[in-house]
Structure formats: C-alpha cells, structure tokens
Amino acid sequence: MFEATDPNALQLTSDGQLRHFLTTEGLPRELLTEILDTADSFVDMSQQQVKKVPLLRGKTVANLFFENSTRTLSTFELAAKRLSADVLNLNINTSSTKKGETLKDTLMTLEAMHADMFVVRHADSGAAHFIAQHVTPNVAVINAGDGRHAHPTQAMLDMLTIRRHKGDFAPLTVAIVGDILHSRVARSQIHALRTLGAGEIRVIAPKTLLPRHIEALGVKVYTDMAMGLRDVDVIMMLRLQKERMQSALLPSESEFYKLYGLNRDKLAYAKPDAVVMHPGPINRGVEIESEVADGPRSLILDQVTNGIAVRMAVMSKAMGGQMAQRGELSQEEQA
Ligand code: NCD
C-alpha cells in the first residue's frame, strides 16, 4: 500500500486539464465527457484505411506492467502506436524488481531513457499515485489498474460503450454484478457513472463479496439477481478475482454460478433491450454462460475495440495537459 494524497491535485493542471489519469473519482463531468467525445472520433478513425494520427509523434510511451495483462497491455500498445508514439513494453514482473531493484530505481532508469509517459499496472493500490508523485514533472502517468483501487481507462471504455449504445446516461438503470469486493473496475465504474449522471446504479453480489459501506458510493445493494436485475438497461458482469481471495468467501464456483451466473433465464429479468458487458477475461460457466457472452445482447468485444479509442483519448489529453503544464512552468521560471 502507498500513501494517498488528493488525486485531483495530482492529475489536473491548475486550469483543470488532465495531466495524469489515476482515478475517475472526483473528475469533473465536463472532462469525462470530453474524453468520451474525443474517443468517439477515434472509434470513427479506426474504421478508416489509415488508422494513425501524429498526436504523440516523437514521444515515448513506456508500459510498466508489474502485474500480468493481455488485453489492457495490448490495447494500450496499439493506442500509443496509433498516436504515432514509440512504445516500450516492460514486463517488470519478470525483470529487475525480481532482482531486487526498487521502484524508484526502475523509474529513474526509465526517466534516463527520456520516456514521456508511463502506463502503470501494479498489484498494490496506490502504486500509480506514488509513481505520479515521484516522476519528473514532464512525465505523464496513466493508471492501467492498481490493486483493488482503480482502473479508470476500463471504466471510461465501459462508459463509451454504454453511451454509443444507449445515448444519454440519465434514464439508465445499470447493475454491476459479482465480485465487487476485489474489483478495481467496479469502483471506477461507479464513480464514472455517478459523475455522468446515470439514473440508478445497483450492485448485485453475495454478502461475502460486497465491501462494507458500499452504499456510501451512491449505489443500491442487492443480494438477489431476480430483484437486482429487474428492469435494468445495462448489466456489467465482473470476473471472480480468485487470485485476490485470501479466504474461502464462496461455498463453490458452481454455487456462485447457480445464484449469480448470467444465463438466459436471469437475463430475462432485465429490460428486453438490456445490454451485457464484461471487462474480460471472462470465466465461461462461472460468471456468465457462453450463450449470453456470445449472444446478440453482448457488447464484450465492442468494449475491447472501444478500449483502444478511449486509451488514445486519455493519452493524447494527458500529453496535452503535460505540455501545457510545462509551458506554465517555464513561464514561471522566466518570471
Ligand atoms: C480487469 C482488471 O485487470 O482489473 N481486466 C482488464 O483490465 N481487462 C478485470 C479483471 O481482471 O477481472
């Protein structure tokens, strides 16, 4: 665990531009909407023959993954390449930290390579904040998932997917289902949905997988799928985070599937045009049945496509904020 400071003091410039992207919590609605608007234009661009823009030309993006990932790492890599950046992928899981190098030494080494942006995934909550506090002022830090705390680009790609299919957030009832306790995705989704004005946010989980005081985030809590899914517009399933479960929180996977696994029968509780999402990787037959995951209401693959566009939007905005900040700093220096 790392110490926490006010994230917005860190992630925004003095005139409110994005400089690092660490959490969706507390970011203003206008900024979230701007990210979605920019991402929309990148989705359109990805349908063109030439998929590249020069927004990050001459910049170096280092993907620092202290924890394994397939889709997040590969979509960040593609996003950086489509912005014309040079990209360095460091799977730190298997490199220097294993040899005893400290995080600060790893950072200093990368700074000496003149990286302009660090995309960070780490098993400890607060790691991206810590790095943003300790990097030189001209490096932007993007959180690609820290412990159970936050996964802000995942939440924003989910928001983009919802907006592209449903339009306005205000009339929507959204249910987040499954292992809320261990989920950085759920926390970031809840903050983003609230800020964007979703009508009603529900969480559905067994008591053992609900964090204490989750209601304080502004959600309605259900432990029963039939009641929780009634009339919802969007169902966001979560993966059972078995690697994070220190004790037996569940009787068994098959029991979980019986009560909370999304199949056709449970989907029928939701509105007839309800859509189904999942951040992946999916555990078929544990949280979701293949028939639903691969069915016409599933947006799971759209989420992957939209992930590239959202990551392009976040990276280009953070780089813009970083450069604006640098301009401010050098004016101060001149004064
Ligand atoms: C999520 C993550 O890593 O937090 N997945 C992802 O980013 N694609 C969710 C998960 O692992 O369950």
Side-chain angles (χ1 to χ4, degrees):
M1 283 282 189
F2 299 95
E3 83 267 30
T5 49
D6 173 14
N8 283 336
L10 209 56
Q11 63 184 350
L12 298 179
T13 62
S14 53
D15 62 353
Q17 292 187 59
L18 194 69
R19 183 174 161 238
H20 302 295
F21 192 45
L22 307 174
T23 174
T24 50
E25 185 176 359
L27 283 181
R29 185 174 187 157
E30 300 70 50
L31 184 59
L32 297 190
T33 305
E34 249 178 55
I35 293 173
L36 297 181
D37 294 345
T38 308
D40 253 331
S41 68
F42 288 134
V43 174
D44 298 341
M45 196 190 78
S46 69
Q47 278 137 17
Q48 315 276 309
Q49 287 289 327
V50 177
K51 299 182 176 58
K52 275 201 179 189
V53 284
L55 288 168
L56 258 64
R57 191 163 53 200
K59 303 287 180 195
T60 302
V61 174
N63 287 322
L64 313 186
F65 278 59
F66 297 85
E67 191 190 81
N68 288 334
S69 156
T70 312
R71 75 197 68 207
T72 304
L73 176 60
S74 48
T75 51
F76 263 112
E77 180 177 355
L78 266 182
K81 287 182 172 162
R82 289 192 183 162
L83 292 168
S84 311
D86 293 321
V87 188
L88 199 65
N89 286 333
L90 288 146
N91 190 343
I92 305 189
N93 219 347
T94 53
S95 72
S96 299
T97 41
K98 287 263 157 73
K99 298 182 187 164
E101 186 176 82
T102 67
L103 185 52
K104 277 191 188 158
D105 284 327
T106 307
L107 292 181
M108 286 198 300
T109 307
L110 289 162
E111 281 169 10
M113 296 180 200
H114 298 293
D116 300 283
M117 181 175 285
F118 293 159
V119 177
V120 181
R121 167 165 290 202
H122 200 290
D124 291 342
S125 300
H129 276 74
F130 175 86
I131 292 176
Q133 281 173 304
H134 290 90
V135 284
T136 55
N138 51 347
V139 174
V141 177
I142 312 289
N143 186 1
D146 64 323
R148 299 183 191 188
H149 172 243
H151 194 353
T153 59
Q154 176 69 46
M156 291 309 290
L157 76 86
D158 295 334
M159 298 307 113
L160 182 66
T161 307
I162 294 175
R163 199 176 77 165
R164 288 179 71 87
H165 282 85
K166 294 284 180 193
D168 191 14
F169 287 91
L172 300 181
T173 300
V174 180
I176 306 173
V177 184
D179 186 358
I180 314 282
L181 181 66
H182 299 99
S183 179
R184 53 193 174 207
V185 174
R187 279 173 190 70
S188 289
Q189 287 170 336
I190 292 168
H191 291 304
L193 283 166
R194 280 201 70 185
T195 305
L196 291 166
E200 189 175 312
I201 311 166
R202 302 178 183 175
V203 296
I204 313 174
K207 277 207 174 73
T208 49
L209 294 181
L210 280 167
R212 285 209 280 161
H213 311 304
I214 181 85
E215 306 80 4
L217 296 183
V219 297
K220 286 195 181 168
V221 178
Y222 293 84
T223 52
D224 178 77
M225 284 288 262
M227 285 165 66
L229 289 182
R230 182 148 305 146
D231 292 333
V232 305
D233 300 279
V234 179
I235 306 172
M236 303 169 99
M237 300 302 296
L238 298 170
R239 183 175 65 85
L240 267 190
Q241 311 259 313
K242 282 176 284 183
E243 73 280 13
R244 293 186 206 275
M245 292 186 193
Q246 272 133 18
S247 52
L249 294 172
L250 286 174
S252 70
E253 273 179 14
S254 59
E255 186 71 5
F256 179 84
Y257 181 64
K258 213 167 86 195
L259 295 173
Y260 297 95
L262 191 63
N263 58 15
R264 209 183 349 164
D265 293 346
K266 294 198 192 81
L267 184 55
Y269 298 124
K271 285 200 182 145
D273 61 349
V275 291
V276 176
M277 297 165 59
H278 190 304
I282 59 176
N283 290 314
R284 291 170 187 266
V286 180
E287 311 100 35
I288 191 162
E289 193 180 87
S290 286
E291 193 187 359
V292 174
D294 306 328
R297 317 255 290 272
S298 166
L299 303 182
I300 296 173
L301 294 177
D302 290 45
Q303 288 172 271
V304 179
T305 308
N306 292 339
I308 301 172
V310 155
R311 288 171 176 135
M312 289 172 76
V314 167
M315 286 195 210
S316 54
K317 288 212 165 294
M319 195 60 86
Q322 201 66 40
M323 280 156 55
Q325 171 98 0
R326 229 180 299 169
E328 279 168 33
L329 287 178
S330 57
Q331 271 170 16
E332 269 170 38
E333 277 158 19
Q334 281 163 21

